[in-house]
Amino acid sequence: MVQPFDVMMYPAGPGSGDSPEGFPEQPRLQPQIGNRTTQTLDAFFTCRKNALLAKSSSPQVEGDFAMAPRGPDQEECEGLLQQWREEGSSQVLSTEIEGPLADKGLAQSSLALLMDNPAEQEATSEDRWPSRQLSDLRAAEELKEPFSEVLGEEPLPEAEGPMWAAVPMQTGPQYADCSVLPVGAMAAEQWEEDPAVMAWSIAPEPMPQEEASMWHFEGLEQLQPPPVEIPYHEILWREWEDFSTQPDAQGLEAGDGPQFQFTLMSYNILAQDLMQQSSELYLHCHPDILNWNYRFANLMQEFQHWDPDILCLQEVQEDHYWEQLEPSLRMMGFTCFYKRRTGCKTDGCAVCYKPTRFRLLCASPVEYFRPGLELLNRDNVGLVLLLQPLVPEGLGQVSVAPLCVANTHVLYNPRRGDVKLAQMAILLAEVDKVARLSDGSHCPIILCGDLNSVPDSPLYNFIRDGELQYHGMPAWKVSGQEDFSYQLYQRKLQAPLWPSSLGITDCCQYVTSCHPKRSERRQYARDFLLRFRFCAIACQRPAGLVLMEGVTDTKPERPAGWAECILEEDTSEPEPVFPRTIGTIQHCLHLTSVYTHFLPQHGRPEVTTMPLGLGMTVDYIFFSAEPCENRGNTDHRLYRDGTLKLLGRLSLLSEEILWAANGLPNPFCSSDHLCLLASFGMEVTTP
C-alpha cells in the first residue's frame, strides 16, 4: 500500500506570519493531516497544473479538473507515459497558447468546491483517474521536464517573486509516486505572467534566499513554529503621570514647603500554588512562561526597574518567600514582613520597606478568621505597619509624621459581600488603632491591596466615602464583580452585620479605642490589705468548718476603732456597651484612590487584571486626603492635598491593550495582575 504524502505548506518569501514585517500568520498544516486536508493540498497543486493546461483547447481538461488521488508506482507511470507518447500527443493536446485564462477564479472556485464536497470527490475519484493521470503526463511533456521531477524526487527550485511551495516531509523511493508538479523555471515564468493565478502571491516583494523562513525537520516529527519576537514592552508601555515638579537629589522638594518623597508599589504576584489549582484560567499561556523560575526572574526585574521604597505584595507563596523572594529583596535593600494566610493556605501578604528611608515603629498582622463565627470563617489576612520617615541629616531639626501602611487580600467569592465588608471593617479598625495619635487624629495612611471589588461598588464607595447603608442589600452586589440578580434566592445583608462580641463598633473602631480603661492596675499597701482581715465576712464561722482547738475554735479580735462593716469599693469594670446603628457602617479615615479608573486618552476604563479574558479593576492604592466634588472641573484629582500628597503614578492599561499582548500573564508581565505604583510627598515641619 502506498503511504500518503505528508507535506508542509508555508509562504516561501515575505508575507509570512513569522516575518519581521508582521504580516498575519498563515495557517500551517501539520504532519499527519486528515483526509480532508490531504484533499485540499492535492487540489491546490492540481489547480496550478490545470491553470497551465487550461490554456489548451482540449475540452477534456476542464472536465477532469479535480483532486488527483495518490499515483501508481513508478513503473506504471513510465508505461503510461510511453504509451501516451506512442499514440501522439498532438492529437489530444494542442501546443498553441491561445491566450490568458478567461476564468481567473478557476483555481479558487475548484479548491473551494473540493473543500465543500469532499465525499462527492472521493466517490468519483476512481472514475476520473485515467484522464487526470493523462493530464499530469501531458503537462510534464509540454514542459519538457524529466519524469523524475514530475514525481517530486528533485528539490524544488526557487522561483523569482513570492509564491507557495511544497516541502516534502521525507525524500526517498517510498514517496516517489507522489504526483506533485514542481515549480520549474518555465512553469514559474508562465505562472507569474498569468493573471488568473496572481492571487496566490501574498507578498508585495521577494525576500532574499538567506532570509527566507525555512523549517528544517526530520521524518514525521511534530513541527513547532519558530519563536516570534513580539514587542511586549511596546504593547504594554505604561506612562508615568507626574503631578509635581522635579525633586532635588535629596528627595526633598521646594515649593509650599519641603517634602519627604517616596514611592509605593502594590502588586498581586500570583502564587504558583493558586495558579496550578486554577490552571483552566491560564490555558491561553504557553507553559514556559508559567514556570516559577521564569516568573520569578521577571518579577525581580520589575522590582529593580521601578525601585519602590515600600513594596506591598499579595499572593506570596510561603516557601517561595523564604527561599527566594525575601533573600533577593534583602539584597536589594529591603526589610520584609510576611503574614501567611491562616488554615492550610500556602500564600499570604508581605510588606517590604527600605530601612534607609523608614524606621519601623510597629507591625500588626491581621487575621480575619474568628472561630465559631460563620461570617468570619475565611483565611484571608492583612498586614499593618507604622513607619517613621527618615529625613537627611543636613536639614537640621525637622520632623515628619509617621506613616501607616496597610496591605491586604480580601476574599474573592463574588457572592459573599457580607464577608468582604466584615473583613474590611476589621482592617479599618486595626488601621484606626495603629494610626491614631495622642490628640485623637490620625497620621497619614496608605491602604492598598487586592480588594476583589470593582470601582463604584458599595465596598469601594464605603472606603472612599466613609459610610455605607447596607441593610437589605444583596450580598453579591457589595463587590460588583458579577451580576447574580437572575437568581431566585439571594443572600441579603442583615443588621447588625457582625455581632457585638467581635469588639468592633459600626464606626470600624475597636471598643477599647472608644472606651479607654478607667484606670491602670491598682497598687495596694500591706496596711490596706490587712483591713480586710477583720471585715464582717471574715468574722463569720463558715458552715461545716471542722472544730480544731487553738485553730478554729476562736474568733479574731476586732481592733479598737474599726467599724463593724467596711464598705468595699466596686473595682470591677462593666462590659462596655456601645450603640449600634441600624444598617449603616462608617469610618473616619478620609481615604481616596490614587487612580481614577478611566483612561481619557483611550476612552476606556482602566483594568488591573483579566480573569477569563474579562478586564476589570480590583487592585487599589488608597491614601489619606480630603475628597472634594468635581463640579465640572476637568482636573482628574478629585481631592484636596493634606499631609500626604500624590506626586505621580504609573498609568494603567485598557482591556484592548492587554488583549493585544495575549492577556495576563504573558512573556513580559508574569502575573495575572498589573502592578500599581505611586509617588507621594509628606510635609516636613520644624519644631
mmCIF file of all heavy atoms in Angstrom, residues 530-574:
data_model
loop_
_atom_site.group_PDB
_atom_site.id
_atom_site.type_symbol
_atom_site.label_atom_id
_atom_site.label_comp_id
_atom_site.label_asym_id
_atom_site.label_seq_id
_atom_site.Cartn_x
_atom_site.Cartn_y
_atom_site.Cartn_z
ATOM 1 N N LEU A 530 -4.577 44.500 105.051
ATOM 2 C CA LEU A 530 -4.863 43.920 106.353
ATOM 3 C C LEU A 530 -6.202 44.373 106.910
ATOM 4 O O LEU A 530 -6.754 43.721 107.811
ATOM 5 C CB LEU A 530 -3.743 44.284 107.344
ATOM 6 C CG LEU A 530 -2.426 43.540 107.151
ATOM 7 C CD1 LEU A 530 -1.381 44.051 108.130
ATOM 8 C CD2 LEU A 530 -2.622 42.037 107.320
ATOM 9 N N ARG A 531 -6.716 45.438 106.402
ATOM 10 C CA ARG A 531 -8.022 45.900 106.858
ATOM 11 C C ARG A 531 -9.111 44.893 106.563
ATOM 12 O O ARG A 531 -10.101 44.802 107.308
ATOM 13 C CB ARG A 531 -8.356 47.244 106.216
ATOM 14 C CG ARG A 531 -7.465 48.387 106.662
ATOM 15 C CD ARG A 531 -7.745 49.624 105.844
ATOM 16 N NE ARG A 531 -9.143 50.000 105.931
ATOM 17 C CZ ARG A 531 -9.715 50.977 105.203
ATOM 18 N NH1 ARG A 531 -8.983 51.649 104.328
ATOM 19 N NH2 ARG A 531 -10.999 51.261 105.357
ATOM 20 N N PHE A 532 -8.928 44.131 105.501
ATOM 21 C CA PHE A 532 -9.965 43.166 105.122
ATOM 22 C C PHE A 532 -9.883 41.891 105.954
ATOM 23 O O PHE A 532 -10.751 41.029 105.851
ATOM 24 C CB PHE A 532 -9.845 42.836 103.630
ATOM 25 C CG PHE A 532 -10.121 44.000 102.739
ATOM 26 C CD1 PHE A 532 -9.072 44.781 102.255
ATOM 27 C CD2 PHE A 532 -11.416 44.337 102.403
ATOM 28 C CE1 PHE A 532 -9.322 45.851 101.437
ATOM 29 C CE2 PHE A 532 -11.668 45.421 101.583
ATOM 30 C CZ PHE A 532 -10.619 46.198 101.094
ATOM 31 N N ARG A 533 -8.864 41.811 106.856
ATOM 32 C CA ARG A 533 -8.747 40.641 107.722
ATOM 33 C C ARG A 533 -9.848 40.634 108.770
ATOM 34 O O ARG A 533 -10.293 39.584 109.231
ATOM 35 C CB ARG A 533 -7.373 40.649 108.388
ATOM 36 C CG ARG A 533 -7.170 39.535 109.381
ATOM 37 C CD ARG A 533 -5.825 39.681 110.051
ATOM 38 N NE ARG A 533 -5.617 38.651 111.064
ATOM 39 C CZ ARG A 533 -4.576 38.612 111.879
ATOM 40 N NH1 ARG A 533 -3.649 39.559 111.797
ATOM 41 N NH2 ARG A 533 -4.458 37.659 112.771
ATOM 42 N N PHE A 534 -10.321 41.795 109.150
ATOM 43 C CA PHE A 534 -11.313 41.899 110.200
ATOM 44 C C PHE A 534 -12.651 42.396 109.664
ATOM 45 O O PHE A 534 -13.432 42.969 110.402
ATOM 46 C CB PHE A 534 -10.802 42.852 111.288
ATOM 47 C CG PHE A 534 -9.506 42.430 111.880
ATOM 48 C CD1 PHE A 534 -8.335 43.059 111.481
ATOM 49 C CD2 PHE A 534 -9.435 41.402 112.806
ATOM 50 C CE1 PHE A 534 -7.124 42.675 112.025
ATOM 51 C CE2 PHE A 534 -8.222 41.021 113.348
ATOM 52 C CZ PHE A 534 -7.059 41.653 112.954
ATOM 53 N N CYS A 535 -12.907 42.175 108.440
ATOM 54 C CA CYS A 535 -14.200 42.572 107.907
ATOM 55 C C CYS A 535 -15.276 41.632 108.452
ATOM 56 O O CYS A 535 -14.974 40.573 109.020
ATOM 57 C CB CYS A 535 -14.192 42.585 106.398
ATOM 58 S SG CYS A 535 -13.900 40.977 105.658
ATOM 59 N N ALA A 536 -16.511 42.011 108.255
ATOM 60 C CA ALA A 536 -17.616 41.249 108.836
ATOM 61 C C ALA A 536 -17.657 39.832 108.289
ATOM 62 O O ALA A 536 -17.934 38.874 109.038
ATOM 63 C CB ALA A 536 -18.930 41.971 108.574
ATOM 64 N N ILE A 537 -17.400 39.652 107.075
ATOM 65 C CA ILE A 537 -17.482 38.323 106.499
ATOM 66 C C ILE A 537 -16.368 37.433 107.006
ATOM 67 O O ILE A 537 -16.524 36.212 107.126
ATOM 68 C CB ILE A 537 -17.459 38.401 104.947
ATOM 69 C CG1 ILE A 537 -17.808 37.047 104.342
ATOM 70 C CG2 ILE A 537 -16.109 38.899 104.464
ATOM 71 C CD1 ILE A 537 -19.187 36.580 104.630
ATOM 72 N N ALA A 538 -15.238 38.061 107.389
ATOM 73 C CA ALA A 538 -14.125 37.263 107.898
ATOM 74 C C ALA A 538 -14.383 36.792 109.318
ATOM 75 O O ALA A 538 -13.747 35.840 109.788
ATOM 76 C CB ALA A 538 -12.824 38.068 107.832
ATOM 77 N N CYS A 539 -15.282 37.465 110.065
ATOM 78 C CA CYS A 539 -15.574 37.088 111.437
ATOM 79 C C CYS A 539 -16.701 36.074 111.555
ATOM 80 O O CYS A 539 -17.080 35.696 112.677
ATOM 81 C CB CYS A 539 -15.923 38.343 112.261
ATOM 82 S SG CYS A 539 -14.552 39.517 112.392
ATOM 83 N N GLN A 540 -17.257 35.654 110.476
ATOM 84 C CA GLN A 540 -18.330 34.664 110.491
ATOM 85 C C GLN A 540 -17.736 33.284 110.291
ATOM 86 O O GLN A 540 -16.837 33.091 109.460
ATOM 87 C CB GLN A 540 -19.353 34.962 109.386
ATOM 88 C CG GLN A 540 -20.112 36.261 109.572
ATOM 89 C CD GLN A 540 -21.085 36.504 108.456
ATOM 90 O OE1 GLN A 540 -21.250 35.668 107.569
ATOM 91 N NE2 GLN A 540 -21.757 37.657 108.514
ATOM 92 N N ARG A 541 -18.244 32.354 111.130
ATOM 93 C CA ARG A 541 -17.741 30.989 111.059
ATOM 94 C C ARG A 541 -18.375 30.285 109.882
ATOM 95 O O ARG A 541 -19.603 30.208 109.785
ATOM 96 C CB ARG A 541 -18.067 30.244 112.357
ATOM 97 C CG ARG A 541 -17.521 28.824 112.398
ATOM 98 C CD ARG A 541 -17.930 28.133 113.694
ATOM 99 N NE ARG A 541 -17.371 26.799 113.760
ATOM 100 C CZ ARG A 541 -16.159 26.515 114.209
ATOM 101 N NH1 ARG A 541 -15.384 27.489 114.651
ATOM 102 N NH2 ARG A 541 -15.732 25.271 114.249
ATOM 103 N N PRO A 542 -17.600 29.757 108.982
ATOM 104 C CA PRO A 542 -18.165 29.060 107.823
ATOM 105 C C PRO A 542 -18.892 27.800 108.263
ATOM 106 O O PRO A 542 -18.496 27.110 109.216
ATOM 107 C CB PRO A 542 -16.942 28.729 106.965
ATOM 108 C CG PRO A 542 -15.865 29.635 107.447
ATOM 109 C CD PRO A 542 -16.137 29.856 108.912
ATOM 110 N N ALA A 543 -19.944 27.494 107.557
ATOM 111 C CA ALA A 543 -20.707 26.287 107.865
ATOM 112 C C ALA A 543 -19.896 25.068 107.483
ATOM 113 O O ALA A 543 -19.255 25.011 106.433
ATOM 114 C CB ALA A 543 -22.033 26.310 107.109
ATOM 115 N N GLY A 544 -19.909 24.065 108.393
ATOM 116 C CA GLY A 544 -19.190 22.841 108.107
ATOM 117 C C GLY A 544 -17.729 22.888 108.445
ATOM 118 O O GLY A 544 -16.990 21.940 108.125
ATOM 119 N N LEU A 545 -17.272 23.987 109.045
ATOM 120 C CA LEU A 545 -15.859 24.086 109.397
ATOM 121 C C LEU A 545 -15.551 23.128 110.552
ATOM 122 O O LEU A 545 -16.233 23.095 111.585
ATOM 123 C CB LEU A 545 -15.517 25.520 109.807
ATOM 124 C CG LEU A 545 -14.065 25.774 110.208
ATOM 125 C CD1 LEU A 545 -13.149 25.537 109.000
ATOM 126 C CD2 LEU A 545 -13.894 27.198 110.732
ATOM 127 N N VAL A 546 -14.551 22.337 110.446
ATOM 128 C CA VAL A 546 -14.167 21.371 111.472
ATOM 129 C C VAL A 546 -13.562 22.128 112.659
ATOM 130 O O VAL A 546 -12.721 23.021 112.475
ATOM 131 C CB VAL A 546 -13.168 20.347 110.901
ATOM 132 C CG1 VAL A 546 -12.712 19.380 111.991
ATOM 133 C CG2 VAL A 546 -13.787 19.602 109.732
ATOM 134 N N LEU A 547 -14.025 21.778 113.817
ATOM 135 C CA LEU A 547 -13.550 22.440 115.029
ATOM 136 C C LEU A 547 -12.206 21.857 115.430
ATOM 137 O O LEU A 547 -12.064 20.667 115.660
ATOM 138 C CB LEU A 547 -14.569 22.265 116.162
ATOM 139 C CG LEU A 547 -14.198 22.937 117.491
ATOM 140 C CD1 LEU A 547 -14.080 24.462 117.314
ATOM 141 C CD2 LEU A 547 -15.254 22.602 118.558
ATOM 142 N N MET A 548 -11.212 22.727 115.530
ATOM 143 C CA MET A 548 -9.869 22.331 115.923
ATOM 144 C C MET A 548 -9.401 23.290 117.014
ATOM 145 O O MET A 548 -9.460 24.518 116.849
ATOM 146 C CB MET A 548 -8.904 22.380 114.734
ATOM 147 C CG MET A 548 -9.283 21.432 113.595
ATOM 148 S SD MET A 548 -8.157 21.574 112.189
ATOM 149 C CE MET A 548 -6.624 21.026 112.949
ATOM 150 N N GLU A 549 -8.975 22.726 118.129
ATOM 151 C CA GLU A 549 -8.589 23.528 119.274
ATOM 152 C C GLU A 549 -7.368 24.379 118.933
ATOM 153 O O GLU A 549 -6.375 23.891 118.412
ATOM 154 C CB GLU A 549 -8.293 22.624 120.476
ATOM 155 C CG GLU A 549 -7.989 23.393 121.757
ATOM 156 C CD GLU A 549 -7.752 22.467 122.934
ATOM 157 O OE1 GLU A 549 -7.890 21.229 122.746
ATOM 158 O OE2 GLU A 549 -7.442 22.971 124.003
ATOM 159 N N GLY A 550 -7.485 25.648 119.259
ATOM 160 C CA GLY A 550 -6.403 26.573 119.006
ATOM 161 C C GLY A 550 -6.318 27.075 117.578
ATOM 162 O O GLY A 550 -5.479 27.923 117.254
ATOM 163 N N VAL A 551 -7.202 26.537 116.721
ATOM 164 C CA VAL A 551 -7.145 26.957 115.312
ATOM 165 C C VAL A 551 -8.470 27.544 114.886
ATOM 166 O O VAL A 551 -8.549 28.685 114.439
ATOM 167 C CB VAL A 551 -6.745 25.787 114.406
ATOM 168 C CG1 VAL A 551 -6.723 26.218 112.948
ATOM 169 C CG2 VAL A 551 -5.407 25.217 114.819
ATOM 170 N N THR A 552 -9.531 26.773 115.016
ATOM 171 C CA THR A 552 -10.826 27.232 114.535
ATOM 172 C C THR A 552 -11.829 27.401 115.659
ATOM 173 O O THR A 552 -13.022 27.552 115.407
ATOM 174 C CB THR A 552 -11.386 26.218 113.507
ATOM 175 O OG1 THR A 552 -11.549 24.942 114.163
ATOM 176 C CG2 THR A 552 -10.484 26.099 112.310
ATOM 177 N N ASP A 553 -11.343 27.367 116.898
ATOM 178 C CA ASP A 553 -12.284 27.462 117.998
ATOM 179 C C ASP A 553 -12.484 28.873 118.503
ATOM 180 O O ASP A 553 -13.314 29.123 119.377
ATOM 181 C CB ASP A 553 -11.832 26.575 119.174
ATOM 182 C CG ASP A 553 -10.430 26.961 119.653
ATOM 183 O OD1 ASP A 553 -9.747 27.706 118.878
ATOM 184 O OD2 ASP A 553 -10.034 26.537 120.709
ATOM 185 N N THR A 554 -11.758 29.832 118.025
ATOM 186 C CA THR A 554 -11.895 31.206 118.492
ATOM 187 C C THR A 554 -12.141 32.142 117.316
ATOM 188 O O THR A 554 -11.862 31.802 116.152
ATOM 189 C CB THR A 554 -10.611 31.659 119.213
ATOM 190 O OG1 THR A 554 -9.501 31.573 118.306
ATOM 191 C CG2 THR A 554 -10.347 30.794 120.463
ATOM 192 N N LYS A 555 -12.641 33.306 117.658
ATOM 193 C CA LYS A 555 -12.853 34.334 116.653
ATOM 194 C C LYS A 555 -11.739 35.368 116.737
ATOM 195 O O LYS A 555 -11.220 35.626 117.830
ATOM 196 C CB LYS A 555 -14.200 35.019 116.868
ATOM 197 C CG LYS A 555 -15.401 34.133 116.609
ATOM 198 C CD LYS A 555 -16.675 34.942 116.777
ATOM 199 C CE LYS A 555 -17.898 34.078 116.505
ATOM 200 N NZ LYS A 555 -19.155 34.851 116.656
ATOM 201 N N PRO A 556 -11.398 35.994 115.628
ATOM 202 C CA PRO A 556 -10.368 37.039 115.690
ATOM 203 C C PRO A 556 -10.893 38.247 116.434
ATOM 204 O O PRO A 556 -12.072 38.591 116.361
ATOM 205 C CB PRO A 556 -10.103 37.348 114.213
ATOM 206 C CG PRO A 556 -11.326 36.924 113.492
ATOM 207 C CD PRO A 556 -11.880 35.744 114.264
ATOM 208 N N GLU A 557 -10.018 38.874 117.185
ATOM 209 C CA GLU A 557 -10.398 40.047 117.945
ATOM 210 C C GLU A 557 -10.379 41.262 117.019
ATOM 211 O O GLU A 557 -9.425 41.492 116.285
ATOM 212 C CB GLU A 557 -9.433 40.258 119.119
ATOM 213 C CG GLU A 557 -9.455 39.136 120.139
ATOM 214 C CD GLU A 557 -8.478 39.380 121.268
ATOM 215 O OE1 GLU A 557 -7.771 40.431 121.213
ATOM 216 O OE2 GLU A 557 -8.415 38.545 122.174
ATOM 217 N N ARG A 558 -11.471 42.005 117.099
ATOM 218 C CA ARG A 558 -11.582 43.192 116.260
ATOM 219 C C ARG A 558 -10.777 44.331 116.891
ATOM 220 O O ARG A 558 -10.940 44.617 118.080
ATOM 221 C CB ARG A 558 -13.027 43.595 116.123
ATOM 222 C CG ARG A 558 -13.263 44.715 115.103
ATOM 223 C CD ARG A 558 -14.743 45.085 115.104
ATOM 224 N NE ARG A 558 -15.575 43.898 114.887
ATOM 225 C CZ ARG A 558 -15.879 43.409 113.683
ATOM 226 N NH1 ARG A 558 -15.410 43.991 112.604
ATOM 227 N NH2 ARG A 558 -16.634 42.335 113.587
ATOM 228 N N PRO A 559 -9.928 44.990 116.111
ATOM 229 C CA PRO A 559 -9.161 46.102 116.692
ATOM 230 C C PRO A 559 -10.087 47.226 117.102
ATOM 231 O O PRO A 559 -11.159 47.427 116.545
ATOM 232 C CB PRO A 559 -8.242 46.522 115.538
ATOM 233 C CG PRO A 559 -8.169 45.326 114.642
ATOM 234 C CD PRO A 559 -9.514 44.652 114.762
ATOM 235 N N ALA A 560 -9.636 47.977 118.092
ATOM 236 C CA ALA A 560 -10.427 49.100 118.577
ATOM 237 C C ALA A 560 -10.493 50.189 117.515
ATOM 238 O O ALA A 560 -9.505 50.504 116.857
ATOM 239 C CB ALA A 560 -9.787 49.660 119.873
ATOM 240 N N GLY A 561 -11.663 50.711 117.346
ATOM 241 C CA GLY A 561 -11.840 51.779 116.376
ATOM 242 C C GLY A 561 -12.268 51.323 114.993
ATOM 243 O O GLY A 561 -12.583 52.143 114.137
ATOM 244 N N TRP A 562 -12.258 50.003 114.791
ATOM 245 C CA TRP A 562 -12.683 49.514 113.485
ATOM 246 C C TRP A 562 -14.198 49.422 113.452
ATOM 247 O O TRP A 562 -14.842 49.014 114.405
ATOM 248 C CB TRP A 562 -12.055 48.138 113.204
ATOM 249 C CG TRP A 562 -10.637 48.267 112.699
ATOM 250 C CD1 TRP A 562 -9.618 48.908 113.292
ATOM 251 C CD2 TRP A 562 -10.132 47.715 111.498
ATOM 252 N NE1 TRP A 562 -8.479 48.815 112.567
ATOM 253 C CE2 TRP A 562 -8.764 48.068 111.435
ATOM 254 C CE3 TRP A 562 -10.669 46.952 110.454
ATOM 255 C CZ2 TRP A 562 -7.935 47.687 110.374
ATOM 256 C CZ3 TRP A 562 -9.840 46.574 109.409
ATOM 257 C CH2 TRP A 562 -8.502 46.949 109.365
ATOM 258 N N ALA A 563 -14.726 49.786 112.325
ATOM 259 C CA ALA A 563 -16.177 49.725 112.155
ATOM 260 C C ALA A 563 -16.613 48.278 112.025
ATOM 261 O O ALA A 563 -15.821 47.379 111.734
ATOM 262 C CB ALA A 563 -16.593 50.535 110.938
ATOM 263 N N GLU A 564 -17.901 48.117 112.278
ATOM 264 C CA GLU A 564 -18.440 46.771 112.150
ATOM 265 C C GLU A 564 -18.360 46.257 110.715
ATOM 266 O O GLU A 564 -18.206 45.070 110.482
ATOM 267 C CB GLU A 564 -19.890 46.767 112.630
ATOM 268 C CG GLU A 564 -20.041 47.003 114.107
ATOM 269 C CD GLU A 564 -19.536 45.813 114.902
ATOM 270 O OE1 GLU A 564 -19.572 44.684 114.357
ATOM 271 O OE2 GLU A 564 -19.087 45.998 116.043
ATOM 272 N N CYS A 565 -18.495 47.142 109.753
ATOM 273 C CA CYS A 565 -18.518 46.718 108.325
ATOM 274 C C CYS A 565 -17.714 47.721 107.511
ATOM 275 O O CYS A 565 -17.824 48.938 107.721
ATOM 276 C CB CYS A 565 -19.946 46.637 107.820
ATOM 277 S SG CYS A 565 -20.066 46.081 106.086
ATOM 278 N N ILE A 566 -16.908 47.232 106.639
ATOM 279 C CA ILE A 566 -16.098 48.063 105.747
ATOM 280 C C ILE A 566 -16.741 48.036 104.358
ATOM 281 O O ILE A 566 -16.952 46.960 103.773
ATOM 282 C CB ILE A 566 -14.649 47.564 105.674
ATOM 283 C CG1 ILE A 566 -14.010 47.638 107.063
ATOM 284 C CG2 ILE A 566 -13.859 48.363 104.658
ATOM 285 C CD1 ILE A 566 -12.603 47.114 107.097
ATOM 286 N N LEU A 567 -17.104 49.211 103.882
ATOM 287 C CA LEU A 567 -17.698 49.291 102.539
ATOM 288 C C LEU A 567 -16.613 49.095 101.491
ATOM 289 O O LEU A 567 -15.625 49.848 101.452
ATOM 290 C CB LEU A 567 -18.383 50.652 102.365
ATOM 291 C CG LEU A 567 -19.538 50.924 103.337
ATOM 292 C CD1 LEU A 567 -20.095 52.331 103.100
ATOM 293 C CD2 LEU A 567 -20.617 49.877 103.183
ATOM 294 N N GLU A 568 -16.758 48.081 100.727
ATOM 295 C CA GLU A 568 -15.773 47.770 99.699
ATOM 296 C C GLU A 568 -16.143 48.494 98.405
ATOM 297 O O GLU A 568 -17.307 48.548 98.014
ATOM 298 C CB GLU A 568 -15.710 46.262 99.459
ATOM 299 C CG GLU A 568 -15.350 45.472 100.707
ATOM 300 C CD GLU A 568 -15.309 43.987 100.420
ATOM 301 O OE1 GLU A 568 -15.344 43.629 99.210
ATOM 302 O OE2 GLU A 568 -15.248 43.197 101.372
ATOM 303 N N GLU A 569 -15.119 49.038 97.777
ATOM 304 C CA GLU A 569 -15.314 49.742 96.510
ATOM 305 C C GLU A 569 -15.434 48.729 95.378
ATOM 306 O O GLU A 569 -14.667 47.759 95.304
ATOM 307 C CB GLU A 569 -14.143 50.686 96.247
ATOM 308 C CG GLU A 569 -14.308 51.494 94.967
ATOM 309 C CD GLU A 569 -13.091 52.373 94.715
ATOM 310 O OE1 GLU A 569 -12.128 52.283 95.520
ATOM 311 O OE2 GLU A 569 -13.096 53.122 93.728
ATOM 312 N N ASP A 570 -16.404 48.952 94.543
ATOM 313 C CA ASP A 570 -16.617 48.072 93.386
ATOM 314 C C ASP A 570 -15.578 48.401 92.317
ATOM 315 O O ASP A 570 -15.660 49.429 91.639
ATOM 316 C CB ASP A 570 -18.026 48.252 92.830
ATOM 317 C CG ASP A 570 -18.322 47.253 91.715
ATOM 318 O OD1 ASP A 570 -17.513 46.308 91.531
ATOM 319 O OD2 ASP A 570 -19.349 47.438 91.028
ATOM 320 N N THR A 571 -14.568 47.552 92.208
ATOM 321 C CA THR A 571 -13.478 47.781 91.252
ATOM 322 C C THR A 571 -13.670 47.050 89.936
ATOM 323 O O THR A 571 -12.835 47.134 89.054
ATOM 324 C CB THR A 571 -12.148 47.328 91.873
ATOM 325 O OG1 THR A 571 -12.239 45.946 92.216
ATOM 326 C CG2 THR A 571 -11.846 48.159 93.132
ATOM 327 N N SER A 572 -14.718 46.280 89.802
ATOM 328 C CA SER A 572 -14.945 45.543 88.552
ATOM 329 C C SER A 572 -15.371 46.501 87.442
ATOM 330 O O SER A 572 -16.121 47.458 87.688
ATOM 331 C CB SER A 572 -16.021 44.474 88.768
ATOM 332 O OG SER A 572 -17.241 45.086 89.131
ATOM 333 N N GLU A 573 -14.857 46.257 86.239
ATOM 334 C CA GLU A 573 -15.170 47.098 85.084
ATOM 335 C C GLU A 573 -16.314 46.460 84.307
ATOM 336 O O GLU A 573 -16.204 45.325 83.837
ATOM 337 C CB GLU A 573 -13.955 47.249 84.175
ATOM 338 C CG GLU A 573 -12.812 47.992 84.847
ATOM 339 C CD GLU A 573 -11.667 48.219 83.884
ATOM 340 O OE1 GLU A 573 -11.811 47.811 82.706
ATOM 341 O OE2 GLU A 573 -10.646 48.784 84.295
ATOM 342 N N PRO A 574 -17.418 47.132 84.205
ATOM 343 C CA PRO A 574 -18.551 46.536 83.480
ATOM 344 C C PRO A 574 -18.231 46.399 81.996
ATOM 345 O O PRO A 574 -17.373 47.088 81.443
ATOM 346 C CB PRO A 574 -19.679 47.548 83.718
ATOM 347 C CG PRO A 574 -18.978 48.844 83.951
ATOM 348 C CD PRO A 574 -17.695 48.503 84.664
#
